[in-house]
Amino acid sequence: LARDRADPRLIAWNVLCAVERGAFADAELARPLRGESLDERDRGLATQLVYGTLAWQGLCDHVLGALGRPAARLDPEVRTLLRMALYQMTKLERIPEFAAVDTAVELAKRHKRGAAGLVNALLRAFLRSGKDLHLPAADGTAARLAVAGSHPRWLVERWISLLGAAETAALLDADNRPAPTVLRVNRRRADRDTAVAALAREPCAARACHYAADAIEIELRGAIDGLAAYRDGLVTAQGEASQLVGAMIPAAATRVLDTCAAPGGKATLIAERTDARVVAVDQARSGIVAVARQAARLGVAVAAIRADARVLPLRPRAYFDAVLVDAPCTGLGTLRQHPEIRWRRQPRDVARLAAIQAAILEAAAAHVDRNGVLVYATCTLLPEENEQRVADFLARNPDFDVDDPRPDLPVPARQLIGEDLFLRTWPHHHGLDGFFAARLRRR
Ligand SMILES: C[S@@+](CC[C@H](N)C(=O)[O-])C[C@H]1O[C@@H](n2cnc3c(N)ncnc32)[C@H](O)[C@@H]1O
C-alpha cells in the first residue's frame, strides 16, 4: 500500500497489514505516531482503529464467513480493510456506518483498485442484513462467547473451565478495552507529585494510580518519546502489575540477577529502588540493547549480558540475594495492550513455554544465596505456566519455601496476594494486566 502520512485510516490499514505479516501492533504504530503529520485527534483515531480491529478480528471474520467470504481465503490487504470497516460498523457508534463503508471503498479504489467492488458489495450486504452478526444461539457457551467476545475458541474453553462462563465473559470484555497508559516515576529523579506536575506542564493529563506506589496513568496521544519527562528519564513506561512484580524484590537486596530482563522494565525499577548491583540477562540481542538504552536514559547502572538463561554463564558460586525469573510466557494476560497475541498463540505453545520456564527456574535457583529470594513471574493466567511451575519447582527443590511478599508491597496492593501468597492480577477485576508472581525463599 502507499503511505499517505496524513490519513489515519490508511496508516491504520498499513499497520494492520504489517501485523498480518507478523509485526507487533504497538511497535508498528509507534513510527507513524511519532511524526508531525497527524494531529491529536487523528492519532487517536489511527490507534483506535488498529487496536479495535485486532481485538474484534474474530467477530469480523465470523461476519465475513457468514457473508460467504471466509477471511482465510481473502487477499490479506483486502481482509484487513474489511475487518477495519466491520469493526467500525459493529463497535464504533460515533462513526456513521455509511461513512465507514464509503471510506473503505475509497481506500480500496485508491490503493487496491481491483478490490473496490468486492469491498463495496460485502459491506453493503452486511448493512442490508441489518448488521446480522450470526451469533451462535446458546448463551454462555464457548462457541458463542468466542464469537461475541472475539477470542479464539480454545482459549475461551480454557477460561470457561477455569473461571466459569460469566466470569469468562467479563474477562473477554475487559481484554477488548484499551489498556491505560501507565508510567513509573524514576525515584532517583523525582517523586510522584513532582512527576505529575511535570507532566501537567507538557500538557498531558496525569493522575496517580491505586496499586503501585510510583505509577501514574496518563492520557497519551502520540508516541511516548514525545514527552520531555520521558526523554529526561523522569519516568518510564511500565504497567502497574509489572511494577508490583518489581516491588517483590526486597529493597535491602545488594546483588540482584534478572534472568529474562529485556526490555528492562523490572531491571531498571530494581536499580532505581535498591543499591544493588543488578545483572540483567536476556537471550535477545536487540533486548540487551534495549535494556542498556533504558538504563542510560534513567541514569541507573545495569550490567546487561546476552545469554540463554537455561544455561547461565555465571560461575557456579556466583550467588545473589534476589533472582527474578520474569519468564517468557503466552502473554495472555496482556491482550488489552497486545490484542493480536490471541490470534497467534496455539494450545501447543503452553507446554512448549512451560518447559522453558521450568528450565530457566532450575538454572536461576542455583544462584540464589541462602536466605535469598527467587521471584517467578509471568504475564499470563494459565495454571500450567504459573501455579504448576511453582509446585513442580518446590517438589524438586525442597530447600525453597513460598515467601510472603506483602511486607515489600504498597498497602493497596497487598489485597492482590492470595491465601497461597501468590500475586494475581486480572483485567476484569482490577483493571490491570493479568500477571502472576510467586516469591520463594531459600532456607
Ligand atoms: C516477559 S519478557 C521480560 C520483560 C522484562 N522483565 C521487563 O520487565 O521489561 C521475557 C523475556 O525473556 C526473554 N527470553 C526468552 N527465552 C529466554 C531464554 N531462554 N533465556 C533468556 N531470556 C529469554 C525474551 O527475550 C524476553 O525479553
Side-chain angles (χ1 to χ4, degrees):
L1 303 178
R3 293 186 181 266
D4 179 344
R5 295 164 57 91
D7 179 352
R9 290 179 181 80
L10 182 57
I11 285 169
W13 187 17
N14 268 312
V15 170
L16 291 168
C17 290
V19 172
E20 280 284 289
R21 295 191 294 269
F24 284 98
D26 55 354
E28 200 61 32
L29 190 58
R31 239 164 292 149
L33 292 192
R34 199 169 286 139
E36 296 290 310
S37 52
L38 292 184
D39 64 19
E40 236 180 69
R41 229 189 49 197
D42 283 346
R43 282 188 183 140
L45 178 61
T47 305
Q48 184 176 39
L49 290 177
V50 168
Y51 283 85
T53 303
L54 290 170
W56 292 104
Q57 175 176 318
L59 178 69
C60 296
D61 286 2
H62 179 78
V63 168
L64 287 171
L67 291 169
R69 285 293 183 150
R73 279 194 243 140
L74 288 165
D75 169 275
E77 291 177 353
V78 178
R79 165 164 80 218
T80 44
L81 181 62
L82 284 165
R83 284 173 182 158
M84 194 166 84
L86 288 170
Y87 158 61
Q88 294 172 71
M89 292 161 80
T90 51
K91 296 291 165 190
L92 284 191
E93 280 166 14
R94 69 187 167 78
I95 298 186
E97 44 206 27
F98 284 103
V101 177
D102 289 347
T103 52
V105 173
E106 259 324 291
L107 281 173
K109 272 189 191 155
R110 266 188 278 143
H111 305 284
K112 192 82 187 170
R113 214 163 166 76
L118 175 69
V119 169
N120 188 45
L122 281 176
L123 296 179
R124 289 194 193 280
F126 180 54
L127 279 187
R128 272 199 310 279
S129 77
K131 297 203 286 187
D132 185 354
L133 299 176
H134 294 272
L135 291 183
D139 254 352
T141 59
R144 180 167 172 120
L145 281 174
V147 174
S150 194
H151 278 61
R153 174 82 173 257
W154 71 269
L155 184 56
V156 174
E157 282 168 359
R158 288 302 319 275
W159 289 143
I160 291 179
S161 72
L162 290 166
L163 309 171
E167 202 174 327
T168 297
L171 174 60
L172 306 186
D173 183 53
D175 282 348
N176 289 334
R177 295 171 191 277
T181 304
V182 177
L183 306 178
R184 179 186 86 229
V185 180
N186 179 357
R187 275 195 200 170
R188 302 236 166 209
R189 298 212 167 140
D191 60 21
R192 182 151 69 172
D193 292 342
T194 313
V196 169
L199 288 162
R201 287 193 298 273
E202 297 255 7
C204 170
R207 61 167 190 84
C209 295
H210 178 61
Y211 294 106
D214 292 332
I216 296 178
E217 181 177 332
I218 60 165
E219 266 171 47
L220 181 68
R221 299 195 188 81
I224 183 107
D225 45 14
L227 297 175
Y230 179 86
R231 291 194 305 273
D232 297 344
L234 224 58
V235 294
T236 200
Q238 185 177 35
E240 250 192 300
S242 172
Q243 296 189 35
L244 294 174
V245 171
M248 285 169 68
I249 298 296
T254 60
R255 300 158 298 168
V256 177
L257 170 66
D258 180 350
T259 64
C260 305
K266 298 180 192 73
T268 54
L269 178 151
I270 296 161
E272 282 167 15
R273 291 194 189 174
T274 67
D275 291 321
R277 173 176 153 70
V278 180
V279 176
V281 169
D282 202 280
Q283 196 178 41
R285 186 185 299 279
S286 59
I288 288 302
V289 173
V291 173
R293 198 182 299 134
Q294 292 285 3
R297 186 175 55 79
L298 295 166
V300 292
V302 173
I305 302 170
R306 183 176 177 218
D308 184 336
R310 291 171 291 190
V311 282
L312 286 164
L314 299 170
R315 282 176 291 111
R317 285 167 179 280
Y319 290 122
F320 296 82
D321 314 312
V323 177
L324 170 63
V325 175
D326 189 23
C329 70
T330 52
L332 295 169
T334 64
L335 296 183
R336 304 180 304 173
Q337 224 173 320
H338 302 290
E340 69 273 29
I341 289 182
R342 75 190 79 177
W343 311 118
R344 292 186 181 164
R345 288 296 177 207
Q346 300 294 328
R348 63 175 178 276
D349 293 334
V350 180
R352 179 179 59 79
L353 285 159
I356 297 172
Q357 292 154 0
I360 296 178
L361 257 178
E362 287 298 333
H367 297 284
V368 179
D369 206 351
R370 254 181 265 150
N371 204 35
V373 298
L374 176 59
V375 173
Y376 175 71
T378 70
C379 54
T380 186
L381 296 152
L382 292 177
E384 298 94 312
E385 299 182 79
N386 296 339
E387 292 85 349
Q388 284 178 25
R389 291 285 53 77
V390 174
D392 280 10
F393 175 83
L394 291 174
R396 277 198 306 271
N397 295 275
D399 51 336
F400 282 85
D401 296 308
V402 178
D403 186 47
D404 187 349
R406 278 175 293 200
D408 287 299
L409 290 176
V411 173
R414 294 180 187 167
Q415 71 186 81
L416 303 170
I417 303 296
E419 277 177 17
D420 49 14
L421 301 181
F422 299 154
L423 172 83
R424 289 186 198 78
T425 56
W426 292 91
H428 61 303
H429 287 312
H430 312 110
L432 303 178
D433 290 335
F435 271 61
F436 170 89
R439 187 160 92 178
L440 311 175
R441 192 176 287 276
R442 183 169 222 161
R443 281 194 218 122

